[in-house]
PDB file of all heavy atoms in Angstrom:
ATOM      1  N   ARG A  78      15.433  21.021   2.318  1.00 98.00           N
ATOM      2  CA  ARG A  78      15.078  19.618   2.404  1.00 98.00           C
ATOM      3  C   ARG A  78      13.616  19.465   1.740  1.00 98.00           C
ATOM      4  O   ARG A  78      13.234  18.445   1.119  1.00 98.00           O
ATOM      5  CB  ARG A  78      15.070  19.120   3.777  1.00 98.00           C
ATOM      6  CG  ARG A  78      16.419  19.071   4.354  1.00 98.00           C
ATOM      7  CD  ARG A  78      16.486  18.436   5.660  1.00 98.00           C
ATOM      8  NE  ARG A  78      16.333  16.972   5.716  1.00 98.00           N
ATOM      9  CZ  ARG A  78      16.069  16.230   6.640  1.00 98.00           C
ATOM     10  NH1 ARG A  78      15.938  16.658   7.912  1.00 98.00           N
ATOM     11  NH2 ARG A  78      15.950  14.884   6.530  1.00 98.00           N
ATOM     12  N   ALA A  85      11.779  15.377  -5.545  1.00 97.00           N
ATOM     13  CA  ALA A  85      12.129  13.816  -5.623  1.00 97.00           C
ATOM     14  C   ALA A  85      10.725  13.064  -5.939  1.00 97.00           C
ATOM     15  O   ALA A  85      10.678  12.043  -6.538  1.00 97.00           O
ATOM     16  CB  ALA A  85      12.736  13.423  -4.364  1.00 97.00           C
ATOM     17  N   ARG A  93       4.952  29.786   0.970  1.00 98.00           N
ATOM     18  CA  ARG A  93       4.068  30.654   1.745  1.00 98.00           C
ATOM     19  C   ARG A  93       4.762  31.426   2.854  1.00 98.00           C
ATOM     20  O   ARG A  93       5.393  30.792   3.611  1.00 98.00           O
ATOM     21  CB  ARG A  93       2.835  29.892   2.284  1.00 98.00           C
ATOM     22  CG  ARG A  93       1.805  30.807   3.047  1.00 98.00           C
ATOM     23  CD  ARG A  93       0.553  30.003   3.316  1.00 98.00           C
ATOM     24  NE  ARG A  93       0.762  29.206   4.634  1.00 98.00           N
ATOM     25  CZ  ARG A  93       0.128  28.062   4.713  1.00 98.00           C
ATOM     26  NH1 ARG A  93      -0.704  27.549   3.832  1.00 98.00           N
ATOM     27  NH2 ARG A  93       0.350  27.432   5.840  1.00 98.00           N
ATOM     28  N   VAL A 110       3.397  22.624   0.365  1.00 98.00           N
ATOM     29  CA  VAL A 110       3.562  23.829   0.760  1.00 98.00           C
ATOM     30  C   VAL A 110       4.694  24.095   1.730  1.00 98.00           C
ATOM     31  O   VAL A 110       4.715  23.463   2.751  1.00 98.00           O
ATOM     32  CB  VAL A 110       2.230  24.429   1.459  1.00 98.00           C
ATOM     33  CG1 VAL A 110       2.525  25.863   2.040  1.00 98.00           C
ATOM     34  CG2 VAL A 110       1.012  24.480   0.574  1.00 98.00           C
ATOM     35  N   GLY A 153       3.753  47.772   3.220  1.00 92.00           N
ATOM     36  CA  GLY A 153       2.446  47.842   2.564  1.00 92.00           C
ATOM     37  C   GLY A 153       1.544  48.746   3.381  1.00 92.00           C
ATOM     38  O   GLY A 153       1.825  49.674   4.048  1.00 92.00           O
ATOM     39  N   ASP A 200      24.568  43.231  -4.285  1.00 97.00           N
ATOM     40  CA  ASP A 200      25.331  43.880  -5.323  1.00 97.00           C
ATOM     41  C   ASP A 200      26.675  43.234  -5.629  1.00 97.00           C
ATOM     42  O   ASP A 200      27.224  43.396  -6.814  1.00 97.00           O
ATOM     43  CB  ASP A 200      25.339  45.413  -5.202  1.00 97.00           C
ATOM     44  CG  ASP A 200      24.196  46.033  -5.618  1.00 97.00           C
ATOM     45  OD1 ASP A 200      23.606  45.669  -6.499  1.00 97.00           O
ATOM     46  OD2 ASP A 200      23.890  47.280  -4.988  1.00 97.00           O
ATOM     47  N   GLU A 202      27.536  40.030  -4.817  1.00 98.00           N
ATOM     48  CA  GLU A 202      27.472  38.533  -4.969  1.00 98.00           C
ATOM     49  C   GLU A 202      26.242  38.087  -5.570  1.00 98.00           C
ATOM     50  O   GLU A 202      25.097  38.490  -5.084  1.00 98.00           O
ATOM     51  CB  GLU A 202      27.587  37.923  -3.577  1.00 98.00           C
ATOM     52  CG  GLU A 202      27.919  36.413  -3.576  1.00 98.00           C
ATOM     53  CD  GLU A 202      28.152  35.961  -2.149  1.00 98.00           C
ATOM     54  OE1 GLU A 202      28.184  36.692  -1.191  1.00 98.00           O
ATOM     55  OE2 GLU A 202      28.328  34.794  -1.893  1.00 98.00           O
ATOM     56  N   VAL A 242     -19.709  60.301  -1.798  1.00 98.00           N
ATOM     57  CA  VAL A 242     -19.452  59.678  -2.947  1.00 98.00           C
ATOM     58  C   VAL A 242     -20.086  60.407  -4.101  1.00 98.00           C
ATOM     59  O   VAL A 242     -19.644  60.258  -5.278  1.00 98.00           O
ATOM     60  CB  VAL A 242     -19.833  58.173  -2.979  1.00 98.00           C
ATOM     61  CG1 VAL A 242     -21.345  58.063  -3.113  1.00 98.00           C
ATOM     62  CG2 VAL A 242     -19.184  57.421  -4.033  1.00 98.00           C
ATOM     63  N   PHE A 255      -3.387  67.362  -7.828  1.00 98.00           N
ATOM     64  CA  PHE A 255      -2.696  67.758  -6.605  1.00 98.00           C
ATOM     65  C   PHE A 255      -1.546  66.948  -6.218  1.00 98.00           C
ATOM     66  O   PHE A 255      -0.394  67.480  -6.067  1.00 98.00           O
ATOM     67  CB  PHE A 255      -3.680  67.908  -5.529  1.00 98.00           C
ATOM     68  CG  PHE A 255      -3.023  67.935  -4.069  1.00 98.00           C
ATOM     69  CD1 PHE A 255      -2.463  69.104  -3.631  1.00 98.00           C
ATOM     70  CD2 PHE A 255      -3.037  66.794  -3.244  1.00 98.00           C
ATOM     71  CE1 PHE A 255      -1.875  69.095  -2.357  1.00 98.00           C
ATOM     72  CE2 PHE A 255      -2.404  66.746  -2.016  1.00 98.00           C
ATOM     73  CZ  PHE A 255      -1.766  67.939  -1.649  1.00 98.00           C
ATOM     74  N   VAL A 272     -17.794  53.895   4.892  1.00 96.00           N
ATOM     75  CA  VAL A 272     -17.254  54.226   6.269  1.00 96.00           C
ATOM     76  C   VAL A 272     -17.350  53.004   7.172  1.00 96.00           C
ATOM     77  O   VAL A 272     -18.629  52.616   7.345  1.00 96.00           O
ATOM     78  CB  VAL A 272     -17.915  55.458   6.738  1.00 96.00           C
ATOM     79  CG1 VAL A 272     -17.360  55.804   8.176  1.00 96.00           C
ATOM     80  CG2 VAL A 272     -17.636  56.719   6.039  1.00 96.00           C
ATOM     81  N   ASP A 297       6.371  64.434  12.334  1.00 92.00           N
ATOM     82  CA  ASP A 297       5.488  64.540  13.474  1.00 92.00           C
ATOM     83  C   ASP A 297       4.910  66.044  13.600  1.00 92.00           C
ATOM     84  O   ASP A 297       4.270  66.448  14.405  1.00 92.00           O
ATOM     85  CB  ASP A 297       6.018  64.186  14.805  1.00 92.00           C
ATOM     86  CG  ASP A 297       7.280  64.943  15.133  1.00 92.00           C
ATOM     87  OD1 ASP A 297       7.680  65.885  14.435  1.00 92.00           O
ATOM     88  OD2 ASP A 297       7.978  64.580  16.129  1.00 92.00           O
ATOM     89  N   THR A 299       2.519  68.425  12.786  1.00 97.00           N
ATOM     90  CA  THR A 299       1.078  68.535  12.331  1.00 97.00           C
ATOM     91  C   THR A 299       0.779  69.775  11.591  1.00 97.00           C
ATOM     92  O   THR A 299      -0.011  69.640  10.688  1.00 97.00           O
ATOM     93  CB  THR A 299       0.094  68.344  13.509  1.00 97.00           C
ATOM     94  OG1 THR A 299       0.434  69.388  14.494  1.00 97.00           O
ATOM     95  CG2 THR A 299       0.280  66.938  14.147  1.00 97.00           C
ATOM     96  N   LYS A 315     -16.428  71.046   1.882  1.00 98.00           N
ATOM     97  CA  LYS A 315     -15.920  70.509   3.177  1.00 98.00           C
ATOM     98  C   LYS A 315     -16.130  69.033   3.316  1.00 98.00           C
ATOM     99  O   LYS A 315     -17.217  68.579   2.905  1.00 98.00           O
ATOM    100  CB  LYS A 315     -16.737  71.273   4.346  1.00 98.00           C
ATOM    101  CG  LYS A 315     -16.285  70.808   5.709  1.00 98.00           C
ATOM    102  CD  LYS A 315     -17.057  71.537   6.846  1.00 98.00           C
ATOM    103  CE  LYS A 315     -16.706  71.130   8.180  1.00 98.00           C
ATOM    104  NZ  LYS A 315     -17.409  71.873   9.172  1.00 98.00           N
ATOM    105  N   VAL A 368     -20.118  50.352  -5.231  1.00 98.00           N
ATOM    106  CA  VAL A 368     -19.328  49.508  -4.367  1.00 98.00           C
ATOM    107  C   VAL A 368     -20.205  48.542  -3.731  1.00 98.00           C
ATOM    108  O   VAL A 368     -21.316  49.000  -3.075  1.00 98.00           O
ATOM    109  CB  VAL A 368     -18.504  50.249  -3.343  1.00 98.00           C
ATOM    110  CG1 VAL A 368     -17.931  49.324  -2.159  1.00 98.00           C
ATOM    111  CG2 VAL A 368     -17.372  51.166  -3.851  1.00 98.00           C
ATOM    112  N   PRO A 369     -20.113  47.181  -4.074  1.00 98.00           N
ATOM    113  CA  PRO A 369     -21.193  46.196  -3.709  1.00 98.00           C
ATOM    114  C   PRO A 369     -21.243  45.858  -2.142  1.00 98.00           C
ATOM    115  O   PRO A 369     -22.276  45.300  -1.819  1.00 98.00           O
ATOM    116  CB  PRO A 369     -20.808  45.114  -4.613  1.00 98.00           C
ATOM    117  CG  PRO A 369     -19.384  45.026  -4.819  1.00 98.00           C
ATOM    118  CD  PRO A 369     -19.111  46.570  -4.698  1.00 98.00           C
ATOM    119  N   ALA A 384      10.285  56.622  -5.758  1.00 98.00           N
ATOM    120  CA  ALA A 384      10.231  55.446  -6.659  1.00 98.00           C
ATOM    121  C   ALA A 384      10.586  55.825  -8.063  1.00 98.00           C
ATOM    122  O   ALA A 384      11.010  54.959  -8.824  1.00 98.00           O
ATOM    123  CB  ALA A 384       8.709  54.973  -6.620  1.00 98.00           C
ATOM    124  N   ALA A 395       9.227  47.516 -14.018  1.00 96.00           N
ATOM    125  CA  ALA A 395       9.490  48.261 -15.318  1.00 96.00           C
ATOM    126  C   ALA A 395       8.722  49.412 -15.461  1.00 96.00           C
ATOM    127  O   ALA A 395       8.902  50.262 -16.367  1.00 96.00           O
ATOM    128  CB  ALA A 395       9.054  47.208 -16.536  1.00 96.00           C
ATOM    129  N   VAL A 404      -5.829  49.303  -7.690  1.00 98.00           N
ATOM    130  CA  VAL A 404      -6.315  48.000  -7.404  1.00 98.00           C
ATOM    131  C   VAL A 404      -7.791  48.076  -7.195  1.00 98.00           C
ATOM    132  O   VAL A 404      -8.399  48.947  -6.419  1.00 98.00           O
ATOM    133  CB  VAL A 404      -5.584  47.419  -6.147  1.00 98.00           C
ATOM    134  CG1 VAL A 404      -5.713  48.335  -4.946  1.00 98.00           C
ATOM    135  CG2 VAL A 404      -6.042  46.014  -5.824  1.00 98.00           C
ATOM    136  N   GLN A 420     -17.725  40.044  -9.977  1.00 98.00           N
ATOM    137  CA  GLN A 420     -18.275  40.652 -11.060  1.00 98.00           C
ATOM    138  C   GLN A 420     -18.069  42.218 -11.068  1.00 98.00           C
ATOM    139  O   GLN A 420     -17.694  42.778 -12.052  1.00 98.00           O
ATOM    140  CB  GLN A 420     -19.863  40.484 -11.305  1.00 98.00           C
ATOM    141  CG  GLN A 420     -20.331  40.843 -12.661  1.00 98.00           C
ATOM    142  CD  GLN A 420     -19.746  40.037 -13.715  1.00 98.00           C
ATOM    143  OE1 GLN A 420     -19.822  38.862 -13.677  1.00 98.00           O
ATOM    144  NE2 GLN A 420     -19.148  40.583 -14.667  1.00 98.00           N
ATOM    145  N   THR A 422     -15.714  43.718  -9.568  1.00 98.00           N
ATOM    146  CA  THR A 422     -14.223  43.938  -9.645  1.00 98.00           C
ATOM    147  C   THR A 422     -13.782  43.893 -11.097  1.00 98.00           C
ATOM    148  O   THR A 422     -13.099  44.771 -11.571  1.00 98.00           O
ATOM    149  CB  THR A 422     -13.465  42.965  -8.879  1.00 98.00           C
ATOM    150  OG1 THR A 422     -13.739  43.186  -7.463  1.00 98.00           O
ATOM    151  CG2 THR A 422     -12.019  43.128  -8.993  1.00 98.00           C
ATOM    152  N   TYR A 425     -15.280  46.675 -13.388  1.00 98.00           N
ATOM    153  CA  TYR A 425     -14.561  47.932 -12.989  1.00 98.00           C
ATOM    154  C   TYR A 425     -13.232  47.952 -13.725  1.00 98.00           C
ATOM    155  O   TYR A 425     -12.828  48.975 -14.460  1.00 98.00           O
ATOM    156  CB  TYR A 425     -14.482  48.012 -11.525  1.00 98.00           C
ATOM    157  CG  TYR A 425     -14.126  49.453 -10.906  1.00 98.00           C
ATOM    158  CD1 TYR A 425     -14.170  49.693  -9.574  1.00 98.00           C
ATOM    159  CD2 TYR A 425     -13.641  50.524 -11.691  1.00 98.00           C
ATOM    160  CE1 TYR A 425     -13.941  50.885  -8.908  1.00 98.00           C
ATOM    161  CE2 TYR A 425     -13.364  51.805 -11.117  1.00 98.00           C
ATOM    162  CZ  TYR A 425     -13.508  51.933  -9.820  1.00 98.00           C
ATOM    163  OH  TYR A 425     -13.142  53.190  -9.258  1.00 98.00           O
ATOM    164  N   HIS A 430      -9.282  49.641 -17.787  1.00 97.00           N
ATOM    165  CA  HIS A 430      -8.056  49.098 -18.436  1.00 97.00           C
ATOM    166  C   HIS A 430      -7.547  49.856 -19.688  1.00 97.00           C
ATOM    167  O   HIS A 430      -6.426  50.060 -19.836  1.00 97.00           O
ATOM    168  CB  HIS A 430      -8.150  47.536 -18.686  1.00 97.00           C
ATOM    169  CG  HIS A 430      -6.917  46.962 -19.119  1.00 97.00           C
ATOM    170  ND1 HIS A 430      -5.728  46.935 -18.408  1.00 97.00           N
ATOM    171  CD2 HIS A 430      -6.568  46.281 -20.362  1.00 97.00           C
ATOM    172  CE1 HIS A 430      -4.749  46.383 -19.027  1.00 97.00           C
ATOM    173  NE2 HIS A 430      -5.210  45.984 -20.208  1.00 97.00           N
ATOM    174  N   ARG A 451       3.761  38.999 -18.825  1.00 96.00           N
ATOM    175  CA  ARG A 451       4.794  39.633 -19.687  1.00 96.00           C
ATOM    176  C   ARG A 451       4.563  41.107 -19.650  1.00 96.00           C
ATOM    177  O   ARG A 451       5.521  41.916 -19.681  1.00 96.00           O
ATOM    178  CB  ARG A 451       4.699  39.161 -20.958  1.00 96.00           C
ATOM    179  CG  ARG A 451       5.486  37.738 -21.294  1.00 96.00           C
ATOM    180  CD  ARG A 451       5.318  37.267 -22.730  1.00 96.00           C
ATOM    181  NE  ARG A 451       6.203  36.186 -22.936  1.00 96.00           N
ATOM    182  CZ  ARG A 451       7.433  36.215 -23.366  1.00 96.00           C
ATOM    183  NH1 ARG A 451       8.039  37.428 -23.534  1.00 96.00           N
ATOM    184  NH2 ARG A 451       8.131  35.176 -23.586  1.00 96.00           N
ATOM    185  N   ALA A 466      16.283  30.663 -16.387  1.00 97.00           N
ATOM    186  CA  ALA A 466      16.813  29.567 -17.012  1.00 97.00           C
ATOM    187  C   ALA A 466      18.103  29.015 -16.248  1.00 97.00           C
ATOM    188  O   ALA A 466      18.488  27.883 -16.189  1.00 97.00           O
ATOM    189  CB  ALA A 466      17.160  29.733 -18.545  1.00 97.00           C
ATOM    190  N   GLU A 471      14.018  24.106 -14.397  1.00 97.00           N
ATOM    191  CA  GLU A 471      13.038  23.138 -14.486  1.00 97.00           C
ATOM    192  C   GLU A 471      11.679  23.894 -13.981  1.00 97.00           C
ATOM    193  O   GLU A 471      10.687  23.175 -14.001  1.00 97.00           O
ATOM    194  CB  GLU A 471      13.383  21.831 -13.660  1.00 97.00           C
ATOM    195  CG  GLU A 471      14.513  21.032 -14.097  1.00 97.00           C
ATOM    196  CD  GLU A 471      14.817  19.847 -13.306  1.00 97.00           C
ATOM    197  OE1 GLU A 471      13.912  19.556 -12.436  1.00 97.00           O
ATOM    198  OE2 GLU A 471      15.808  19.359 -13.415  1.00 97.00           O
ATOM    199  N   PRO A 484      14.425  29.586 -23.461  1.00 90.00           N
ATOM    200  CA  PRO A 484      14.754  28.265 -24.121  1.00 90.00           C
ATOM    201  C   PRO A 484      16.117  27.803 -23.940  1.00 90.00           C
ATOM    202  O   PRO A 484      16.507  26.660 -23.794  1.00 90.00           O
ATOM    203  CB  PRO A 484      14.275  28.469 -25.489  1.00 90.00           C
ATOM    204  CG  PRO A 484      13.258  29.556 -25.446  1.00 90.00           C
ATOM    205  CD  PRO A 484      13.782  30.524 -24.344  1.00 90.00           C
TER     206      PRO A 484
END
Side-chain angles (χ1 to χ4, degrees):
R78 296 185 73 189
R93 186 170 74 210
V110 173
D200 270 336
E202 188 175 358
V242 74
F255 161 79
V272 179
D297 59 3
T299 55
K315 183 178 179 180
V368 170
V404 59
Q420 193 63 56
T422 300
Y425 197 167
H430 184 63
R451 280 184 170 272
E471 296 177 15

